[in-house]
Amino acid sequence: MAKLNFGGVEETVITREEFPLEKAKEILKDETIAVIGYGVQGPGQSMNLRDNGFNVIVGQREGKTYDKAVKDGWVPGKTLFSIEEACEKGTIIMCLLSDAAVISVWPKIKKYMTAGKALYFSHGFAITWNDRTGVVPPKDIDVIMVAPKGSGTSLRTMFVEGRGLNSSFAIYQDYTGKALERTLALGIGIGSGYLFETTFQREAVSDLTGERGSLMGAIQGLLLAQYEVLRENGHSPSEAFNETVEELTQSLMPLFAQKGMDWMYANCSTTAQRGALDWMGPFHDAVKPVVEKLYDSVKRGDEAQRSIDSNSQPDYREKLEKELKELRESEMWQAGATVRKLRPEEN
């Protein structure tokens, strides 16, 4: 395990150099890995494991995602089964269903969680709030997690490109004494760049905070606020979108992703540098109370309950599509669709 220094804070991480693929394959050579669910994380994790030479099968209900699995090379009756059949055959059950689906499917999965098996998640939601989800695993199994820090699509794309998406890992229950090595082997097998340790509770809370905050919710709110102010003051949709979104995503994000915010600042004009340094404080002071309120809501379980309640409504999908349609058809993102068509690589 490597020791890394994060601004004065030391942290232990596991890299692919220390835990090579061959070691992972040796640890899992007698295991049958059953990937349950083929939605967001299922395709990337299962195909990466398959391409890395592990014994993998998929369990999925018939429908569009089942058909997608077939197109991806999973063979009905050989490597593609019903959820129940896959759970029966698997020694490691990778539960990659959506949080809502886990709640409804858990009674089927639990029947096949016999002594010594491992139950794997990529999100701490179901276990952290199991007083609300009902997902209480039996005591004679391992309960483990590897959580890629990105979408399943990114995990697959980066794997194909020879790169890796960083992942957190956690052990909730170690019945066999092999939970840690099983977890790390799976983390390497799915194509993680490096692995850092967490707990189910910390992963769930940080994940929900991030999604509602800087990763999705806050970024949309901030971008829309700036776009609206520019439009209200006479700037055209093209100008407002380019100054708010296009320059951020196409020019600046790659710079600070590569070497950090200070390096991005150093590669901008002195006018931009001065303004950024002067205004980052007021933005921080305005936003931090909102983030604190968000974090408290997540930690109390309010956000989990809201998600459970929303997803359990029979017309939730219709309501969700309506909200997404309104977002898609808003002026800012219609401007974005037009601007994207004008990118040279898009033509």
Tab-separated table of all heavy atoms in Angstrom, residues 40-41 99 122-126 128-129 145-152 165-168 196 198-218 294-295 298-299 303-304 307:
chain	number	residue	atom	x	y	z
A	40	VAL	N	-26.524	1.608	-15.092
A	40	VAL	CA	-25.484	2.634	-15.111
A	40	VAL	C	-24.092	2.029	-14.920
A	40	VAL	O	-23.195	2.224	-15.739
A	40	VAL	CB	-25.755	3.705	-14.027
A	40	VAL	CG1	-24.643	4.734	-13.988
A	40	VAL	CG2	-27.095	4.389	-14.300
A	41	GLN	N	-23.884	1.280	-13.828
A	41	GLN	CA	-22.568	0.708	-13.535
A	41	GLN	C	-22.380	-0.700	-14.101
A	41	GLN	O	-21.250	-1.121	-14.348
A	41	GLN	CB	-22.340	0.678	-12.018
A	41	GLN	CG	-21.994	2.022	-11.398
A	41	GLN	CD	-20.601	2.505	-11.766
A	41	GLN	OE1	-19.723	1.724	-12.127
A	41	GLN	NE2	-20.399	3.812	-11.670
A	99	ASP	N	-30.613	2.431	-6.624
A	99	ASP	CA	-31.000	2.368	-5.215
A	99	ASP	C	-32.456	1.948	-5.057
A	99	ASP	O	-32.793	1.158	-4.174
A	99	ASP	CB	-30.773	3.723	-4.554
A	99	ASP	CG	-29.294	4.100	-4.508
A	99	ASP	OD1	-28.460	3.192	-4.334
A	99	ASP	OD2	-28.984	5.295	-4.666
A	122	SER	N	-21.635	-0.776	-5.205
A	122	SER	CA	-20.816	0.349	-5.661
A	122	SER	C	-21.343	1.664	-5.102
A	122	SER	O	-20.994	2.740	-5.592
A	122	SER	CB	-20.758	0.395	-7.197
A	122	SER	OG	-19.815	-0.547	-7.661
A	123	HIS	N	-22.192	1.562	-4.111
A	123	HIS	CA	-22.738	2.737	-3.444
A	123	HIS	C	-23.164	2.296	-2.049
A	123	HIS	O	-23.690	1.203	-1.865
A	123	HIS	CB	-23.934	3.263	-4.241
A	123	HIS	CG	-24.481	4.581	-3.758
A	123	HIS	ND1	-23.772	5.448	-2.949
A	123	HIS	CD2	-25.687	5.177	-3.984
A	123	HIS	CE1	-24.507	6.520	-2.718
A	123	HIS	NE2	-25.672	6.380	-3.321
A	124	GLY	N	-22.929	3.156	-1.045
A	124	GLY	CA	-23.244	2.783	0.325
A	124	GLY	C	-24.683	3.012	0.731
A	124	GLY	O	-25.054	2.750	1.886
A	125	PHE	N	-25.519	3.494	-0.171
A	125	PHE	CA	-26.886	3.914	0.121
A	125	PHE	C	-27.701	2.814	0.807
A	125	PHE	O	-28.256	3.025	1.891
A	125	PHE	CB	-27.563	4.339	-1.189
A	125	PHE	CG	-28.912	4.975	-1.032
A	125	PHE	CD1	-29.073	6.349	-1.203
A	125	PHE	CD2	-30.052	4.223	-0.773
A	125	PHE	CE1	-30.313	6.956	-1.083
A	125	PHE	CE2	-31.295	4.807	-0.635
A	125	PHE	CZ	-31.427	6.180	-0.805
A	126	ALA	N	-27.806	1.657	0.167
A	126	ALA	CA	-28.714	0.613	0.655
A	126	ALA	C	-28.353	0.122	2.049
A	126	ALA	O	-29.238	-0.164	2.864
A	126	ALA	CB	-28.732	-0.563	-0.326
A	128	THR	N	-26.193	1.852	4.333
A	128	THR	CA	-26.143	2.961	5.290
A	128	THR	C	-27.524	3.278	5.847
A	128	THR	O	-27.687	3.512	7.051
A	128	THR	CB	-25.549	4.218	4.618
A	128	THR	OG1	-24.206	3.920	4.220
A	128	THR	CG2	-25.556	5.410	5.564
A	129	TRP	N	-28.516	3.293	4.992
A	129	TRP	CA	-29.876	3.612	5.415
A	129	TRP	C	-30.763	2.372	5.336
A	129	TRP	O	-31.897	2.419	4.858
A	129	TRP	CB	-30.424	4.755	4.557
A	129	TRP	CG	-29.679	6.038	4.832
A	129	TRP	CD1	-29.681	6.760	5.992
A	129	TRP	CD2	-28.794	6.730	3.946
A	129	TRP	NE1	-28.866	7.862	5.885
A	129	TRP	CE2	-28.310	7.872	4.647
A	129	TRP	CE3	-28.368	6.518	2.633
A	129	TRP	CZ2	-27.414	8.785	4.067
A	129	TRP	CZ3	-27.466	7.417	2.061
A	129	TRP	CH2	-26.998	8.535	2.777
A	145	MET	N	-17.581	-3.182	-0.791
A	145	MET	CA	-17.926	-2.131	-1.758
A	145	MET	C	-16.688	-1.647	-2.500
A	145	MET	O	-15.617	-1.489	-1.911
A	145	MET	CB	-18.561	-0.933	-1.038
A	145	MET	CG	-18.874	0.253	-1.946
A	145	MET	SD	-19.716	1.600	-1.074
A	145	MET	CE	-18.424	2.151	0.036
A	146	VAL	N	-16.852	-1.431	-3.804
A	146	VAL	CA	-15.914	-0.643	-4.604
A	146	VAL	C	-16.769	0.376	-5.341
A	146	VAL	O	-17.701	0.011	-6.059
A	146	VAL	CB	-15.121	-1.504	-5.602
A	146	VAL	CG1	-14.218	-0.598	-6.457
A	146	VAL	CG2	-14.292	-2.556	-4.881
A	147	ALA	N	-16.471	1.644	-5.142
A	147	ALA	CA	-17.295	2.719	-5.709
A	147	ALA	C	-16.465	3.569	-6.663
A	147	ALA	O	-15.716	4.446	-6.224
A	147	ALA	CB	-17.874	3.584	-4.592
A	148	PRO	N	-16.563	3.319	-7.980
A	148	PRO	CA	-15.845	4.157	-8.946
A	148	PRO	C	-16.301	5.608	-8.829
A	148	PRO	O	-17.489	5.885	-8.676
A	148	PRO	CB	-16.249	3.558	-10.302
A	148	PRO	CG	-16.652	2.151	-9.994
A	148	PRO	CD	-17.302	2.225	-8.649
A	149	LYS	N	-15.351	6.537	-8.901
A	149	LYS	CA	-15.677	7.957	-8.760
A	149	LYS	C	-16.024	8.560	-10.113
A	149	LYS	O	-15.358	9.461	-10.629
A	149	LYS	CB	-14.516	8.706	-8.106
A	149	LYS	CG	-14.191	8.251	-6.695
A	149	LYS	CD	-15.357	8.459	-5.738
A	149	LYS	CE	-16.147	7.234	-5.411
A	149	LYS	NZ	-17.268	7.466	-4.488
A	150	GLY	N	-17.084	8.026	-10.693
A	150	GLY	CA	-17.566	8.486	-11.983
A	150	GLY	C	-18.610	7.524	-12.511
A	150	GLY	O	-18.938	6.519	-11.880
A	151	SER	N	-19.129	7.825	-13.667
A	151	SER	CA	-20.176	6.991	-14.257
A	151	SER	C	-19.607	5.676	-14.784
A	151	SER	O	-18.400	5.551	-15.025
A	151	SER	CB	-20.849	7.742	-15.411
A	151	SER	OG	-19.961	7.834	-16.516
A	152	GLY	N	-20.492	4.711	-14.975
A	152	GLY	CA	-20.077	3.452	-15.573
A	152	GLY	C	-19.559	3.640	-16.985
A	152	GLY	O	-18.653	2.919	-17.437
A	165	LEU	N	-10.233	4.735	-13.676
A	165	LEU	CA	-11.042	5.664	-12.886
A	165	LEU	C	-10.839	5.329	-11.414
A	165	LEU	O	-11.002	4.181	-11.002
A	165	LEU	CB	-12.518	5.501	-13.274
A	165	LEU	CG	-13.533	6.495	-12.705
A	165	LEU	CD1	-13.257	7.894	-13.251
A	165	LEU	CD2	-14.948	6.063	-13.085
A	166	ASN	N	-10.460	6.302	-10.600
A	166	ASN	CA	-10.204	6.049	-9.188
A	166	ASN	C	-11.474	5.581	-8.475
A	166	ASN	O	-12.577	5.994	-8.824
A	166	ASN	CB	-9.657	7.304	-8.511
A	166	ASN	CG	-8.328	7.748	-9.107
A	166	ASN	OD1	-7.587	6.925	-9.631
A	166	ASN	ND2	-8.050	9.031	-9.032
A	167	SER	N	-11.305	4.730	-7.480
A	167	SER	CA	-12.439	4.164	-6.747
A	167	SER	C	-12.158	4.163	-5.256
A	167	SER	O	-11.014	4.044	-4.822
A	167	SER	CB	-12.710	2.712	-7.191
A	167	SER	OG	-12.944	2.609	-8.577
A	168	SER	N	-13.217	4.278	-4.461
A	168	SER	CA	-13.102	4.038	-3.028
A	168	SER	C	-13.498	2.594	-2.751
A	168	SER	O	-14.153	1.947	-3.573
A	168	SER	CB	-13.991	5.004	-2.237
A	168	SER	OG	-15.352	4.840	-2.583
A	196	PHE	N	-8.887	3.984	-2.681
A	196	PHE	CA	-8.705	4.595	-1.365
A	196	PHE	C	-9.818	4.132	-0.440
A	196	PHE	O	-10.954	3.909	-0.865
A	196	PHE	CB	-8.664	6.129	-1.455
A	196	PHE	CG	-9.900	6.774	-2.018
A	196	PHE	CD1	-10.906	7.249	-1.181
A	196	PHE	CD2	-10.059	6.929	-3.391
A	196	PHE	CE1	-12.039	7.856	-1.693
A	196	PHE	CE2	-11.195	7.540	-3.917
A	196	PHE	CZ	-12.181	8.005	-3.072
A	198	THR	N	-12.617	3.868	2.538
A	198	THR	CA	-13.686	4.654	3.147
A	198	THR	C	-14.557	3.702	3.967
A	198	THR	O	-14.152	2.582	4.266
A	198	THR	CB	-14.497	5.405	2.063
A	198	THR	OG1	-15.434	6.281	2.699
A	198	THR	CG2	-15.250	4.446	1.146
A	199	THR	N	-15.735	4.141	4.345
A	199	THR	CA	-16.748	3.272	4.946
A	199	THR	C	-18.018	3.407	4.116
A	199	THR	O	-18.152	4.350	3.322
A	199	THR	CB	-17.056	3.685	6.399
A	199	THR	OG1	-17.679	4.991	6.383
A	199	THR	CG2	-15.789	3.732	7.239
A	200	PHE	N	-18.948	2.497	4.304
A	200	PHE	CA	-20.217	2.591	3.580
A	200	PHE	C	-20.902	3.922	3.898
A	200	PHE	O	-21.435	4.586	3.022
A	200	PHE	CB	-21.128	1.427	3.955
A	200	PHE	CG	-20.926	0.187	3.123
A	200	PHE	CD1	-19.738	-0.540	3.197
A	200	PHE	CD2	-21.914	-0.262	2.265
A	200	PHE	CE1	-19.549	-1.676	2.434
A	200	PHE	CE2	-21.736	-1.405	1.489
A	200	PHE	CZ	-20.542	-2.115	1.580
A	201	GLN	N	-20.865	4.310	5.180
A	201	GLN	CA	-21.554	5.526	5.593
A	201	GLN	C	-20.905	6.772	4.996
A	201	GLN	O	-21.585	7.658	4.482
A	201	GLN	CB	-21.571	5.612	7.124
A	201	GLN	CG	-22.506	6.678	7.688
A	201	GLN	CD	-21.832	8.013	7.933
A	201	GLN	OE1	-20.608	8.116	7.892
A	201	GLN	NE2	-22.638	9.037	8.175
A	202	ARG	N	-19.565	6.836	5.043
A	202	ARG	CA	-18.877	8.013	4.508
A	202	ARG	C	-19.058	8.108	2.994
A	202	ARG	O	-19.229	9.203	2.453
A	202	ARG	CB	-17.376	7.969	4.847
A	202	ARG	CG	-17.074	8.187	6.318
A	202	ARG	CD	-15.682	8.784	6.543
A	202	ARG	NE	-14.630	8.067	5.839
A	202	ARG	CZ	-13.877	7.104	6.374
A	202	ARG	NH1	-14.090	6.719	7.627
A	202	ARG	NH2	-12.920	6.524	5.675
A	203	GLU	N	-19.018	6.976	2.311
A	203	GLU	CA	-19.209	7.003	0.866
A	203	GLU	C	-20.595	7.485	0.501
A	203	GLU	O	-20.770	8.315	-0.402
A	203	GLU	CB	-18.969	5.604	0.265
A	203	GLU	CG	-18.866	5.571	-1.251
A	203	GLU	CD	-20.203	5.648	-1.986
A	203	GLU	OE1	-21.229	5.228	-1.403
A	203	GLU	OE2	-20.227	6.120	-3.145
A	204	ALA	N	-21.600	6.986	1.200
A	204	ALA	CA	-22.982	7.363	0.889
A	204	ALA	C	-23.206	8.853	1.117
A	204	ALA	O	-23.806	9.546	0.292
A	204	ALA	CB	-23.951	6.547	1.740
A	205	VAL	N	-22.695	9.361	2.249
A	205	VAL	CA	-22.902	10.772	2.575
A	205	VAL	C	-22.137	11.681	1.615
A	205	VAL	O	-22.671	12.672	1.113
A	205	VAL	CB	-22.495	11.050	4.040
A	205	VAL	CG1	-22.486	12.547	4.327
A	205	VAL	CG2	-23.452	10.345	4.994
A	206	SER	N	-20.878	11.341	1.333
A	206	SER	CA	-20.092	12.184	0.429
A	206	SER	C	-20.640	12.124	-0.991
A	206	SER	O	-20.657	13.133	-1.707
A	206	SER	CB	-18.613	11.770	0.449
A	206	SER	OG	-18.446	10.437	0.013
A	207	ASP	N	-21.115	10.959	-1.405
A	207	ASP	CA	-21.643	10.796	-2.758
A	207	ASP	C	-22.913	11.628	-2.958
A	207	ASP	O	-23.048	12.352	-3.951
A	207	ASP	CB	-21.930	9.325	-3.035
A	207	ASP	CG	-22.277	9.062	-4.491
A	207	ASP	OD1	-21.358	9.027	-5.320
A	207	ASP	OD2	-23.476	8.906	-4.802
A	208	LEU	N	-23.841	11.530	-2.020
A	208	LEU	CA	-25.078	12.304	-2.151
A	208	LEU	C	-24.807	13.797	-2.052
A	208	LEU	O	-25.446	14.601	-2.743
A	208	LEU	CB	-26.095	11.872	-1.090
A	208	LEU	CG	-27.129	10.833	-1.562
A	208	LEU	CD1	-26.445	9.513	-1.888
A	208	LEU	CD2	-28.209	10.618	-0.510
A	209	THR	N	-23.854	14.175	-1.207
A	209	THR	CA	-23.493	15.592	-1.110
A	209	THR	C	-22.894	16.074	-2.427
A	209	THR	O	-23.250	17.146	-2.927
A	209	THR	CB	-22.483	15.818	0.029
A	209	THR	OG1	-23.067	15.400	1.268
A	209	THR	CG2	-22.093	17.289	0.134
A	210	GLY	N	-21.994	15.282	-2.999
A	210	GLY	CA	-21.356	15.674	-4.252
A	210	GLY	C	-22.327	15.794	-5.401
A	210	GLY	O	-22.272	16.757	-6.191
A	211	GLU	N	-23.238	14.827	-5.505
A	211	GLU	CA	-24.222	14.866	-6.600
A	211	GLU	C	-25.118	16.092	-6.506
A	211	GLU	O	-25.430	16.728	-7.517
A	211	GLU	CB	-25.078	13.599	-6.569
A	211	GLU	CG	-24.323	12.342	-6.954
A	211	GLU	CD	-25.102	11.078	-6.628
A	211	GLU	OE1	-26.109	11.154	-5.886
A	211	GLU	OE2	-24.691	10.007	-7.101
A	212	ARG	N	-25.537	16.403	-5.290
A	212	ARG	CA	-26.411	17.559	-5.108
A	212	ARG	C	-25.620	18.867	-5.121
A	212	ARG	O	-26.186	19.930	-5.338
A	212	ARG	CB	-27.176	17.410	-3.784
A	212	ARG	CG	-28.280	16.385	-3.871
A	212	ARG	CD	-28.542	15.668	-2.561
A	212	ARG	NE	-29.620	14.691	-2.720
A	212	ARG	CZ	-29.476	13.517	-3.326
A	212	ARG	NH1	-28.290	13.156	-3.808
A	212	ARG	NH2	-30.503	12.694	-3.447
A	213	GLY	N	-24.321	18.756	-4.885
A	213	GLY	CA	-23.459	19.920	-4.815
A	213	GLY	C	-22.680	20.153	-6.089
A	213	GLY	O	-23.246	20.280	-7.172
A	214	SER	N	-21.353	20.186	-5.971
A	214	SER	CA	-20.501	20.662	-7.066
A	214	SER	C	-20.557	19.804	-8.326
A	214	SER	O	-20.256	20.293	-9.414
A	214	SER	CB	-19.043	20.749	-6.587
A	214	SER	OG	-18.542	19.474	-6.255
A	215	LEU	N	-20.932	18.529	-8.202
A	215	LEU	CA	-20.926	17.666	-9.382
A	215	LEU	C	-22.123	17.881	-10.295
A	215	LEU	O	-22.004	17.764	-11.522
A	215	LEU	CB	-20.871	16.193	-8.955
A	215	LEU	CG	-19.677	15.792	-8.094
A	215	LEU	CD1	-19.766	14.328	-7.715
A	215	LEU	CD2	-18.364	16.076	-8.823
A	216	MET	N	-23.287	18.194	-9.716
A	216	MET	CA	-24.489	18.295	-10.549
A	216	MET	C	-25.401	19.451	-10.142
A	216	MET	O	-25.603	20.388	-10.913
A	216	MET	CB	-25.255	16.956	-10.514
A	216	MET	CG	-24.485	15.795	-11.101
A	216	MET	SD	-25.323	14.195	-10.922
A	216	MET	CE	-26.706	14.398	-12.030
A	217	GLY	N	-25.941	19.395	-8.938
A	217	GLY	CA	-26.939	20.385	-8.544
A	217	GLY	C	-26.406	21.797	-8.476
A	217	GLY	O	-26.962	22.727	-9.069
A	218	ALA	N	-25.302	21.991	-7.751
A	218	ALA	CA	-24.757	23.339	-7.581
A	218	ALA	C	-24.219	23.899	-8.883
A	218	ALA	O	-24.362	25.098	-9.155
A	218	ALA	CB	-23.646	23.335	-6.526
A	294	LEU	N	-26.895	21.336	3.056
A	294	LEU	CA	-27.020	20.128	2.247
A	294	LEU	C	-26.425	18.928	2.973
A	294	LEU	O	-27.058	17.859	3.056
A	294	LEU	CB	-26.314	20.347	0.903
A	294	LEU	CG	-25.983	19.102	0.066
A	294	LEU	CD1	-27.249	18.347	-0.301
A	294	LEU	CD2	-25.198	19.490	-1.181
A	295	TYR	N	-25.207	19.085	3.503
A	295	TYR	CA	-24.535	17.975	4.180
A	295	TYR	C	-25.360	17.475	5.369
A	295	TYR	O	-25.523	16.262	5.569
A	295	TYR	CB	-23.151	18.410	4.656
A	295	TYR	CG	-22.318	17.271	5.206
A	295	TYR	CD1	-21.558	16.467	4.357
A	295	TYR	CD2	-22.305	16.987	6.573
A	295	TYR	CE1	-20.810	15.419	4.851
A	295	TYR	CE2	-21.558	15.934	7.082
A	295	TYR	CZ	-20.808	15.155	6.213
A	295	TYR	OH	-20.068	14.100	6.708
A	298	VAL	N	-28.238	15.413	4.143
A	298	VAL	CA	-27.804	14.084	3.718
A	298	VAL	C	-27.519	13.209	4.933
A	298	VAL	O	-27.984	12.062	5.021
A	298	VAL	CB	-26.544	14.182	2.824
A	298	VAL	CG1	-25.988	12.784	2.546
A	298	VAL	CG2	-26.862	14.877	1.505
A	299	LYS	N	-26.757	13.743	5.891
A	299	LYS	CA	-26.346	12.945	7.047
A	299	LYS	C	-27.535	12.494	7.892
A	299	LYS	O	-27.535	11.389	8.453
A	299	LYS	CB	-25.363	13.746	7.900
A	299	LYS	CG	-24.575	12.905	8.874
A	299	LYS	CD	-23.437	13.682	9.503
A	299	LYS	CE	-22.619	12.797	10.422
A	299	LYS	NZ	-21.495	13.544	11.050
A	303	GLU	N	-32.261	13.239	2.619
A	303	GLU	CA	-32.118	13.113	1.164
A	303	GLU	C	-32.373	11.676	0.717
A	303	GLU	O	-32.966	11.435	-0.337
A	303	GLU	CB	-30.722	13.579	0.728
A	303	GLU	CG	-30.434	15.043	0.988
A	303	GLU	CD	-31.418	15.957	0.282
A	303	GLU	OE1	-31.641	15.782	-0.928
A	303	GLU	OE2	-31.983	16.845	0.961
A	304	ALA	N	-31.918	10.726	1.522
A	304	ALA	CA	-32.174	9.320	1.206
A	304	ALA	C	-33.668	9.041	1.208
A	304	ALA	O	-34.204	8.389	0.300
A	304	ALA	CB	-31.460	8.415	2.200
A	307	SER	N	-35.363	10.495	-1.793
A	307	SER	CA	-35.099	9.669	-2.970
A	307	SER	C	-35.967	8.410	-2.967
A	307	SER	O	-36.553	8.033	-3.987
A	307	SER	CB	-33.616	9.288	-3.009
A	307	SER	OG	-33.334	8.454	-4.110
